[in-house]
């Protein structure tokens, strides 16, 4: 059938016709001047009335080829005319004074401009991709623009990121080496993030960055020799963006914790002596500013991941006792503070709840660690009264009841002997 169709289509008259239109297309493709004339003329007529601009753009989409001239369209709306590589305006064509770059440099004006882009893209959905490409391109041209033009573009971009018109993947353009080296990227990022956080909040910004894998790359806004948490934090905090520097610091430390845990597990599986492991971990804690509370969680996870657990409930208890007895010196080294002990108790509770065949082992683990001097009675009592979490709490509190009663009575007895001695 397809062969027949091909045959049909090759009638001489059709070919001639088709060739003509194709030639016209070719000519037009390289000639956006007509398109630019129409858009510029319309913008000059509507002037600063952005409502009218939005209406004009809406109507022109029916007559003009937005699909083919998307780049020209966005160049004009941002810069007033077509941009040559590097960001300078092409000289020979008519331009408009009514565009983002000549508008007032303040958030309100940029919010009004953002509305124009929003409406246009909502109306002509196919412009979405082209708009994203345009913004990526404009970011690469930043050095060709004046500081005021950059500021306006940064605010506009932040607002459009906030309302979801743009995807956070455009941030990748700011990692361009030349822009980073000259400090253009960092300065631009300050204005962009301020506008974005102002539209939304840091949580929303974080999750947008996470979606496109940009959450761990913020340090790359600085050249390699300045790529430290301290520098980043100071720069953005001084610029009034403490939330962003806290977020980046947190991302950095999540990364450091993952690394640390991996390394710890490898050292355990190589069977390195505990004193060496402890030394290594303590140095890492200093270096990466990790608290003992956080560390005990990492150590617990590493210890519990070091073993293939039996799937049978009655066998797993025995296995766990043996394993934890062996590793208790490691846990003890990082539970010197009451808060760390409580963190560990909650970690054990989480673990026994999440690994169902450990449900009945909880109390035995706690008693073992109490005897090994990892957990103190204060921590256990505090956990029992108010520091436990919701996960399986009725089961675990029931398991612990007898032991807790024993702890309390032992405590009372020692109190009595204290007062007797005092007499």
């Amino acid at each position: 059938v397809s062969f027949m169709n091909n045959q049909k289509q090759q009638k001489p008259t059709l070919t001639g016709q088709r060739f003509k239109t194709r030639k016209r297309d070719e000519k037009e493709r390289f000639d956006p001047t007509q398109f630019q004339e129409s858009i510029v003329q319309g913008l000059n007529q509507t002037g600063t009335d952005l409502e009218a601009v939005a209406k004009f753009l809406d109507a022109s989409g029916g007559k003009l080829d937005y699909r083919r001239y998307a780049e020209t369209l966005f160049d004009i709306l941002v810069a007033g005319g077509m941009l040559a590589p590097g960001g300078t305006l092409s000289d020979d064509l008519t331009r408009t004074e009514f565009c983002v770059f000549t508008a007032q440099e303040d958030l309100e004006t940029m919010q009004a401009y953002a509305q124009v882009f929003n409406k246009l893209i909502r109306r002509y959905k196919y412009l979405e991709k082209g708009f994203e490409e345009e913004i990526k391109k404009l970011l690469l041209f930043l050095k060709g623009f004046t500081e005021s033009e950059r500021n306006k573009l940064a605010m506009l971009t932040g607002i459009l990121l906030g309302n979801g018109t743009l995807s956070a993947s455009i941030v990748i353009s700011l990692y361009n080496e030349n822009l980073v080296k000259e400090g253009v990227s960092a300065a631009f990022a300050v204005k962009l993030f301020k506008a974005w956080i102002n539209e939304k909040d840091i949580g929303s910004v974080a999750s947008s960055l996470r979606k496109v894998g940009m959450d761990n790359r913020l340090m790359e806004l600085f050249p390699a020799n300045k790529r430290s948490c301290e520098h980043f934090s100071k720069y953005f905090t001084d610029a009034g963006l403490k939330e962003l520097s806290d977020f980046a610091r947190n991302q950095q430390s999540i990364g450091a914790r993952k690394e640390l845990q991996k390394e710890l597990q490898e050292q355990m599986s190589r069977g390195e002596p505990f004193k060496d492991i402890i030394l290594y971990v303590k140095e890492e804690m200093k270096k990466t500013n990790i608290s003992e509370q956080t560390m005990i969680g990492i150590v617990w996870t590493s210890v519990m991941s070091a073993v293939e657990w039996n799937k049978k409930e009655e066998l797993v208890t025995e296995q766990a006792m043996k394993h934890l007895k062996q590793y208790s010196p490691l846990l003890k080294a990082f539970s010197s503070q009451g808060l760390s002990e409580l963190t560990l108790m909650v970690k054990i509770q989480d673990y026994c709840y999440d690994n169902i065949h450990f449900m009945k082992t909880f109390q035995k683990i706690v008693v073992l660690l109490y005897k090994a001097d990892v957990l103190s009675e204060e921590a256990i009592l505090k956990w029992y009264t108010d520091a436990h979490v919701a996960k399986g709490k009725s089961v675990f509190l029931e398991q612990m009841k007898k032991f807790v009663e024993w702890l309390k009575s032992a405590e009372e007895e020692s109190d009595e002997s204290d007062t007797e001695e005092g007499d």
Side-chain angles (χ1 to χ4, degrees), residues 287-305:
K287 224 172 19 194
T288 48
N289 223 339
I290 293 179
S291 68
E292 188 187 79
Q293 241 179 301
T294 305
M295 200 56 231
I296 189 69
I298 296 174
V299 174
W300 167 260
T301 306
S302 304
V303 167
M304 294 311 271
S305 311

Side-chain angles (χ1 to χ4, degrees), residues 73-141:
L73 173 64
F74 292 130
D75 274 359
I76 298 168
L77 292 175
V78 172
M82 255 194 308
L83 291 168
T88 48
L89 277 170
S90 308
D91 281 337
D92 41 353
L93 300 170
T94 44
R95 301 180 201 169
T96 178
E97 280 306 305
F98 303 105
C99 62
V100 172
F101 278 0
T102 51
Q104 257 179 287
E105 188 187 323
D106 60 59
L107 208 52
E108 240 170 297
T109 310
M110 288 306 114
Q111 279 164 334
Y113 264 96
Q115 275 314 309
V116 173
F117 288 104
N118 275 341
K119 285 179 189 158
L120 178 62
I121 287 161
R122 242 184 300 186
R123 174 81 168 79
Y124 299 103
K125 200 80 179 113
Y126 59 79
L127 285 173
E128 215 167 22
K129 198 77 210 99
F131 185 53
E132 215 145 275
E133 291 310 308
E134 172 75 10
I135 295 287
K136 280 184 185 165
K137 176 192 85 173
L138 292 173
L139 297 191
L140 291 175
F141 288 174

Side-chain angles (χ1 to χ4, degrees), residues 41 145 161 175 201 203 206 253 278 304 358 395 411 413 415:
Q41 202 180 348
F145 306 143
L161 282 163
Y175 299 141
D201 55 54
S253 66
I278 291 167
M304 294 311 271
F358 270 89
V395 179
E411 205 178 44
E413 276 169 34
D415 281 351

Side-chain angles (χ1 to χ4, degrees), residues 242-413:
K242 188 174 178 322
E243 305 114 305
L244 191 71
S245 69
D246 290 346
F247 167 70
R249 186 178 286 274
N250 194 28
Q251 287 303 107
Q252 197 78 348
S253 66
I254 290 171
R257 279 179 286 195
K258 281 187 185 147
E259 285 299 299
L260 184 52
Q261 187 170 328
K262 217 170 83 188
E263 177 54 34
L264 192 56
Q265 267 165 272
E266 278 168 18
Q267 291 184 7
M268 284 184 201
S269 65
R270 289 200 298 268
E272 297 200 5
F274 286 160
K275 62 174 200 325
D276 295 350
I277 297 182
I278 291 167
L279 201 68
Y280 163 77
V281 172
K282 289 201 161 154
E283 274 171 11
E284 282 301 305
M285 278 168 70
K286 258 204 227 91
K287 224 172 19 194
T288 48
N289 223 339
I290 293 179
S291 68
E292 188 187 79
Q293 241 179 301
T294 305
M295 200 56 231
I296 189 69
I298 296 174
V299 174
W300 167 260
T301 306
S302 304
V303 167
M304 294 311 271
S305 311
V307 110
E308 275 294 323
W309 294 108
N310 202 301
K311 289 280 176 274
K312 290 205 175 71
E313 206 172 79
E314 58 280 12
L315 294 173
V316 88
T317 304
E318 202 180 317
Q319 191 188 6
M321 293 299 99
K322 236 166 96 178
H323 181 66
L324 285 168
K325 196 175 176 140
Q326 185 197 340
Y327 279 92
S328 60
L330 202 52
L331 292 164
K332 189 178 171 182
F334 300 100
S335 55
S336 67
Q337 303 158 4
L339 271 177
S340 315
E341 292 179 49
L342 279 177
T343 306
L344 178 57
M345 285 286 301
V346 170
K347 285 278 176 202
I348 300 169
Q349 183 185 349
D350 278 341
Y351 188 88
C352 292
Y353 181 79
D354 294 337
N355 299 278
I356 199 77
H357 45 294
F358 270 89
M359 276 305 262
K360 291 186 176 150
T361 313
F362 178 76
Q363 186 260 355
K364 292 194 169 70
I365 293 177
V366 175
V367 173
L368 173 89
L369 294 178
Y370 168 75
K371 288 181 178 157
D373 212 15
V374 176
L375 295 171
S376 65
E377 60 184 290
E378 292 84 30
I380 295 170
L381 293 173
K382 176 105 178 96
W383 171 86
Y384 189 80
T385 49
D386 58 25
H388 50 260
V389 286
K391 284 184 172 180
K393 74 170 185 187
S394 51
V395 179
F396 296 137
L397 290 174
E398 185 53 44
Q399 269 183 42
M400 291 296 294
K401 208 169 155 181
K402 279 203 173 88
F403 184 64
V404 165
E405 277 164 12
W406 175 82
L407 280 179
K408 280 185 177 154
S409 64
E411 205 178 44
E412 277 158 22
E413 276 169 34

